[in-house]
Amino acid sequence: MKWFKYLTVIPDAKRALVNTLIIAIAKVILNIIIPLVFALLLNEVKNMKFKKTVQTIVYLPHFVSWVILANIITNILGANGIFNTVRSAMGATDTVLPMTMPSIFRQLLIGTDVWKEFGYNAVIYLAALTGISPELYEAAEVDGAAIDGASRWKRVWHITIPGLVPTIVLLTTLAMGNVLNAGFDQVFNMYNQLVIETGDIIDTYVYRIGITNMQFSLATAAGLFKSVVSFVLVVTSYVCAYKFADYKIF
């Protein structure tokens, strides 16, 4: 038990926990809202060829590993990357290195994760949209024209979104189990010693003290703490999913 007590007093462990919660909660919220908005916008597109092309393009980053993406992002934001090249072309004389700036590193992690996954997450909402009865939309039209007050925005607000509520509730409750998973692959491949203050999460902290520093007891305590909390959150999320969305595993 002394290692668990030690975790409560050392600053590094507290910092890793705070960073994990901030990054993970922001990812959970944005990975629900942004795919939902994108799916609603894409659903309004009538040109099927354009619609499928856009969907495929935004879907592709999901299949690229963080090892590759992290290197691409690092090169783009590096001293000789596209970011600083464009700034120089616009008259900037200084070099900005976002990957070494603790003040924006969390936002960089969150933004790149949302960019990578929102296309994949939008597929779930697009599938749910197909389950909404076309008769509801037809009832708001007369000879192909919207009846009074039933504009496109009104139909989205009063027909489409209510039809997606069960899916939104389900995905939100299931996401509760990932509150302590801020993305080891992403953070490990993107962070460095200059941004460790705001980029270090529980998984990278356990890796660093357990594998690099060989403090196996402390790393085990930290890993077990995360596992227990994650287990409680997963069980709670499935109970909530069954209660609010009638979703059952078995």
Side-chain angles (χ1 to χ4, degrees):
M1 292 299 296
K2 70 175 183 178
W3 296 111
F4 291 99
K5 294 179 181 178
Y6 187 49
L7 278 174
T8 63
V9 297
I10 54 177
D12 288 353
K14 294 180 179 179
R15 180 188 64 195
L17 177 60
V18 171
N19 289 337
T20 301
L21 290 174
I22 293 174
I23 295 171
I25 291 174
K27 285 182 178 181
V28 167
I29 294 173
L30 292 177
N31 276 320
I32 291 174
I33 295 176
I34 293 180
L36 173 60
V37 173
F38 176 75
L40 291 174
L41 293 174
L42 195 61
N43 188 56
E44 295 299 314
V45 176
K46 303 304 180 184
N47 188 323
M48 294 303 297
K49 186 175 182 180
F50 175 77
K51 182 177 180 179
K52 290 181 179 180
T53 301
V54 171
Q55 186 176 342
T56 302
I57 291 172
V58 300
Y59 187 75
L60 287 176
H62 170 75
F63 297 100
V64 183
S65 73
W66 274 115
V67 176
I68 298 172
L69 283 181
N71 277 281
I72 293 173
I73 294 168
T74 301
N75 288 328
I76 291 174
L77 300 179
N80 299 316
I82 297 174
F83 178 70
N84 280 295
T85 301
V86 172
R87 291 183 73 254
S88 298
M90 296 176 65
T93 57
D94 60 329
T95 299
V96 177
L97 301 175
M99 297 290 288
T100 63
M101 300 170 64
S103 59
I104 66 170
F105 189 71
R106 282 180 189 154
Q107 294 88 320
L108 189 61
L109 289 174
I110 296 166
T112 52
D113 182 79
V114 172
W115 165 76
K116 182 178 185 292
E117 300 295 340
F118 86 94
Y120 174 79
N121 293 332
V123 173
I124 300 173
Y125 292 111
L126 290 170
L129 286 169
T130 61
I132 300 176
S133 175
E135 296 177 356
L136 296 174
Y137 296 99
E138 293 171 0
E141 296 180 354
V142 176
D143 296 329
I147 62 177
D148 287 344
S151 62
R152 176 173 291 187
W153 166 246
K154 290 289 186 179
R155 279 175 280 176
V156 170
W157 185 255
H158 294 288
I159 299 175
T160 307
I161 294 181
L164 290 176
V165 166
T167 303
I168 296 171
V169 172
L170 175 61
L171 293 178
T172 303
T173 52
L174 294 180
M176 289 173 54
N178 292 318
V179 169
L180 290 186
N181 291 324
F184 173 79
D185 290 348
Q186 179 194 18
V187 178
F188 182 76
N189 284 287
M190 290 181 64
Y191 87 143
N192 52 72
Q193 289 297 322
L194 296 175
V195 296
I196 201 168
E197 181 182 347
T198 57
D200 195 27
I201 60 174
I202 293 177
D203 289 333
T204 54
Y205 176 71
V206 170
Y207 172 83
R208 193 171 63 256
I209 63 175
I211 304 299
T212 306
N213 297 339
M214 301 183 68
Q215 299 180 33
F216 302 119
S217 298
L218 184 59
T220 302
L224 183 59
F225 166 76
K226 181 199 168 185
S227 298
V228 171
V229 174
S230 296
F231 174 76
V232 173
L233 290 173
V234 167
V235 172
T236 302
S237 68
Y238 279 110
V239 170
C240 293
Y242 173 71
K243 182 176 181 181
F244 298 111
D246 196 28
Y247 174 84
K248 293 186 289 186
I249 309 176
F250 306 108

XYZ file of all heavy atoms in Angstrom, residues 28-70:
352
model
N -13.358 13.066 -25.656
C -14.665 12.407 -25.624
C -15.758 13.359 -26.091
O -16.602 13.016 -26.924
C -14.975 11.885 -24.209
C -16.450 11.498 -24.080
C -14.097 10.690 -23.874
N -15.741 14.586 -25.565
C -16.780 15.567 -25.913
C -16.712 15.942 -27.387
O -17.721 15.912 -28.106
C -16.649 16.818 -25.026
C -16.952 16.467 -23.569
C -17.592 17.928 -25.509
C -16.690 17.600 -22.594
N -15.516 16.296 -27.857
C -15.374 16.734 -29.250
C -15.578 15.592 -30.242
O -16.074 15.813 -31.351
C -13.998 17.374 -29.461
C -13.786 18.703 -28.735
C -12.370 19.219 -28.952
C -14.798 19.745 -29.196
N -15.220 14.363 -29.850
C -15.415 13.223 -30.743
C -16.873 12.767 -30.792
O -17.199 11.808 -31.509
C -14.521 12.050 -30.326
C -13.119 12.165 -30.883
O -12.926 12.565 -32.025
N -12.124 11.825 -30.079
N -17.724 13.417 -30.034
C -19.167 13.205 -30.150
C -19.804 14.352 -30.923
O -20.605 14.135 -31.836
C -19.817 13.078 -28.755
C -19.376 11.769 -28.092
C -21.339 13.141 -28.856
C -19.842 11.613 -26.672
N -19.422 15.574 -30.592
C -20.059 16.752 -31.194
C -19.655 16.933 -32.657
O -20.508 17.082 -33.542
C -19.707 18.011 -30.387
C -20.307 17.915 -28.984
C -20.229 19.267 -31.098
C -19.922 19.071 -28.078
N -18.348 16.929 -32.953
C -17.877 17.217 -34.306
C -18.330 16.157 -35.320
O -18.820 16.507 -36.403
C -16.349 17.401 -34.322
C -15.993 18.677 -33.554
C -15.816 17.463 -35.754
C -14.534 18.993 -33.488
N -18.224 14.851 -35.024
C -18.757 13.868 -35.977
C -20.263 14.019 -36.192
O -20.760 13.793 -37.303
C -18.429 12.525 -35.318
C -17.267 12.801 -34.451
C -17.493 14.184 -33.925
N -20.991 14.392 -35.134
C -22.436 14.590 -35.255
C -22.745 15.737 -36.208
O -23.583 15.601 -37.112
C -23.041 14.869 -33.877
C -24.522 15.256 -33.846
C -25.380 14.142 -34.440
C -24.961 15.588 -32.427
N -22.059 16.862 -36.030
C -22.271 18.018 -36.897
C -21.892 17.670 -38.335
O -22.614 18.010 -39.286
C -21.457 19.227 -36.394
C -21.534 20.385 -37.389
C -21.963 19.671 -35.025
N -20.764 16.991 -38.504
C -20.319 16.613 -39.850
C -21.323 15.679 -40.516
O -21.628 15.820 -41.711
C -18.949 15.948 -39.774
C -18.453 15.435 -41.090
C -17.978 16.302 -42.055
C -18.473 14.072 -41.373
C -17.527 15.831 -43.282
C -18.026 13.589 -42.586
C -17.553 14.469 -43.547
N -21.840 14.698 -39.758
C -22.813 13.754 -40.317
C -24.093 14.471 -40.739
O -24.677 14.160 -41.781
C -23.119 12.659 -39.295
N -24.531 15.447 -39.927
C -25.738 16.206 -40.267
C -25.532 17.023 -41.542
O -26.419 17.086 -42.407
C -26.119 17.129 -39.112
C -26.634 16.441 -37.839
C -26.832 17.456 -36.727
C -27.943 15.698 -38.108
N -24.362 17.640 -41.664
C -24.068 18.427 -42.866
C -23.952 17.528 -44.097
O -24.485 17.850 -45.169
C -22.772 19.218 -42.668
C -22.802 20.333 -41.607
C -21.414 20.921 -41.420
C -23.790 21.427 -42.008
N -23.257 16.403 -43.930
C -23.068 15.499 -45.061
C -24.388 14.873 -45.492
O -24.607 14.596 -46.683
C -22.064 14.403 -44.692
C -21.485 13.580 -45.847
C -20.727 14.482 -46.815
C -20.569 12.479 -45.312
N -25.274 14.668 -44.528
C -26.573 14.075 -44.841
C -27.433 14.990 -45.714
O -28.327 14.519 -46.425
C -27.315 13.753 -43.542
C -28.579 12.953 -43.769
O -28.550 11.886 -44.356
N -29.705 13.487 -43.313
N -27.159 16.300 -45.649
C -27.937 17.263 -46.436
C -27.430 17.385 -47.873
O -28.069 18.013 -48.705
C -27.888 18.643 -45.762
C -28.562 18.685 -44.403
C -30.041 18.350 -44.471
O -30.715 18.906 -45.367
O -30.523 17.541 -43.660
N -26.272 16.790 -48.161
C -25.717 16.838 -49.519
C -26.499 15.886 -50.426
O -26.670 14.708 -50.104
C -24.221 16.457 -49.521
C -23.678 16.422 -50.945
C -23.432 17.448 -48.679
N -26.966 16.374 -51.543
C -27.781 15.567 -52.452
C -26.952 14.874 -53.537
O -27.375 13.867 -54.090
C -28.855 16.451 -53.109
C -29.757 17.160 -52.105
C -30.429 16.182 -51.147
C -31.323 16.898 -50.153
N -31.911 15.958 -49.166
N -25.775 15.430 -53.842
C -24.901 14.836 -54.856
C -24.184 13.621 -54.247
O -23.254 13.756 -53.464
C -23.875 15.864 -55.338
C -23.069 15.370 -56.522
O -22.726 14.193 -56.621
N -22.774 16.280 -57.440
N -24.625 12.420 -54.598
C -24.115 11.210 -53.973
C -22.635 10.971 -54.266
O -21.897 10.486 -53.419
C -24.937 10.002 -54.438
C -26.379 10.017 -53.966
S -26.508 10.115 -52.145
C -25.722 8.596 -51.665
N -22.192 11.308 -55.466
C -20.786 11.117 -55.812
C -19.896 11.998 -54.945
O -18.875 11.537 -54.404
C -20.571 11.435 -57.286
C -19.159 11.134 -57.782
C -19.034 11.360 -59.280
C -17.631 11.008 -59.768
N -17.484 11.229 -61.225
N -20.272 13.258 -54.798
C -19.511 14.177 -53.944
C -19.572 13.729 -52.491
O -18.567 13.773 -51.767
C -20.077 15.592 -54.089
C -19.443 16.596 -53.169
C -18.187 17.114 -53.449
C -20.095 17.010 -52.020
C -17.592 18.036 -52.604
C -19.510 17.928 -51.157
C -18.255 18.447 -51.455
N -20.734 13.285 -52.064
C -20.932 12.847 -50.685
C -20.028 11.669 -50.340
O -19.359 11.652 -49.303
C -22.407 12.472 -50.482
C -22.767 12.041 -49.072
C -24.262 11.764 -48.989
C -24.669 11.326 -47.589
N -26.140 11.092 -47.507
N -19.968 10.670 -51.223
C -19.135 9.494 -50.977
C -17.649 9.833 -51.031
O -16.852 9.276 -50.274
C -19.475 8.411 -51.991
C -20.851 7.789 -51.795
C -21.122 6.699 -52.813
C -22.490 6.064 -52.586
N -22.783 4.992 -53.566
N -17.289 10.769 -51.915
C -15.886 11.172 -52.021
C -15.417 11.852 -50.740
O -14.351 11.525 -50.198
C -15.693 12.132 -53.213
O -16.111 11.491 -54.417
C -14.230 12.548 -53.339
N -16.220 12.781 -50.236
C -15.883 13.486 -48.996
C -15.820 12.503 -47.832
O -14.895 12.549 -47.007
C -16.912 14.598 -48.707
C -16.686 15.186 -47.319
C -16.834 15.690 -49.756
N -16.778 11.608 -47.747
C -16.814 10.635 -46.664
C -15.570 9.743 -46.680
O -14.995 9.440 -45.628
C -18.075 9.779 -46.780
C -18.271 8.830 -45.614
C -19.578 8.073 -45.708
O -20.482 8.462 -46.444
N -19.691 6.985 -44.974
N -15.144 9.350 -47.866
C -13.952 8.498 -47.982
C -12.692 9.245 -47.565
O -11.837 8.699 -46.859
C -13.796 7.996 -49.432
O -14.969 7.277 -49.808
C -12.584 7.103 -49.567
N -12.574 10.497 -47.980
C -11.386 11.295 -47.670
C -11.229 11.490 -46.162
O -10.132 11.318 -45.613
C -11.445 12.660 -48.389
C -11.298 12.468 -49.903
C -10.353 13.602 -47.874
C -11.527 13.722 -50.716
N -12.321 11.855 -45.471
C -12.232 12.109 -44.025
C -12.148 10.803 -43.228
O -11.752 10.814 -42.053
C -13.426 12.949 -43.535
C -13.473 14.286 -44.247
C -14.750 12.214 -43.724
N -12.497 9.697 -43.860
C -12.477 8.393 -43.196
C -11.084 7.773 -43.192
O -10.726 7.025 -42.277
C -13.465 7.477 -43.914
C -13.713 6.135 -43.267
C -14.493 6.037 -42.125
C -13.183 4.968 -43.814
C -14.737 4.802 -41.532
C -13.428 3.725 -43.232
C -14.210 3.650 -42.095
O -14.444 2.433 -41.508
N -10.256 8.120 -44.190
C -8.954 7.488 -44.376
C -7.975 7.664 -43.205
O -7.256 6.717 -42.869
C -8.311 7.991 -45.675
C -8.930 7.463 -46.973
C -8.258 8.110 -48.179
C -8.818 5.939 -47.059
N -7.870 8.863 -42.574
C -6.880 9.009 -41.496
C -7.050 8.020 -40.351
O -6.081 7.727 -39.642
C -7.119 10.450 -41.008
C -7.687 11.153 -42.187
C -8.533 10.136 -42.880
N -8.246 7.492 -40.179
C -8.482 6.523 -39.096
C -7.587 5.294 -39.241
O -7.206 4.676 -38.247
C -9.961 6.114 -39.094
C -10.263 4.960 -38.192
N -10.315 5.094 -36.817
C -10.509 3.638 -38.463
C -10.594 3.912 -36.273
N -10.708 3.016 -37.248
N -7.231 4.933 -40.474
C -6.467 3.715 -40.722
C -4.956 3.942 -40.704
O -4.196 2.996 -40.881
C -6.881 3.122 -42.076
C -8.319 2.712 -42.128
C -9.269 3.519 -42.723
C -8.729 1.516 -41.563
C -10.596 3.146 -42.775
C -10.057 1.125 -41.604
C -10.996 1.945 -42.206
N -4.524 5.180 -40.493
C -3.097 5.487 -40.438
C -2.647 5.488 -38.987
O -3.281 6.101 -38.131
C -2.802 6.862 -41.082
C -1.300 7.129 -41.085
C -3.355 6.908 -42.499
N -1.550 4.790 -38.686
C -1.079 4.684 -37.309
C -0.502 6.010 -36.829
O -0.069 6.857 -37.626
C -0.018 3.587 -37.196
O 1.203 4.019 -37.780
N -0.483 6.163 -35.504
C 0.065 7.390 -34.920
C 1.570 7.502 -35.123
O 2.126 8.593 -35.062
C -0.273 7.470 -33.439
C -1.612 8.070 -33.183
C -2.702 7.465 -32.638
C -2.013 9.413 -33.486
N -3.754 8.345 -32.590
C -3.362 9.541 -33.097
C -1.361 10.513 -34.057
C -4.073 10.733 -33.248
C -2.071 11.693 -34.210
C -3.403 11.795 -33.802
N 2.240 6.390 -35.359
C 3.685 6.437 -35.639
C 3.929 7.262 -36.906
O 4.824 8.121 -36.958
C 4.260 5.020 -35.801
C 5.737 5.088 -36.178
C 4.079 4.224 -34.513
N 3.099 7.019 -37.920
C 3.229 7.752 -39.183
C 2.704 9.171 -39.050
O 3.365 10.133 -39.458
C 2.480 7.002 -40.305
C 3.101 5.616 -40.525
C 2.501 7.802 -41.606
C 2.323 4.741 -41.477
N 1.511 9.309 -38.479
C 0.894 10.634 -38.365
C 1.729 11.574 -37.502
O 1.843 12.761 -37.809
C -0.517 10.509 -37.789
C -1.612 10.033 -38.733
C -2.952 9.987 -38.015
C -1.707 10.947 -39.953
N 2.288 11.053 -36.412
C 3.097 11.895 -35.529
C 4.309 12.445 -36.273
O 4.683 13.611 -36.094
C 3.531 11.099 -34.303
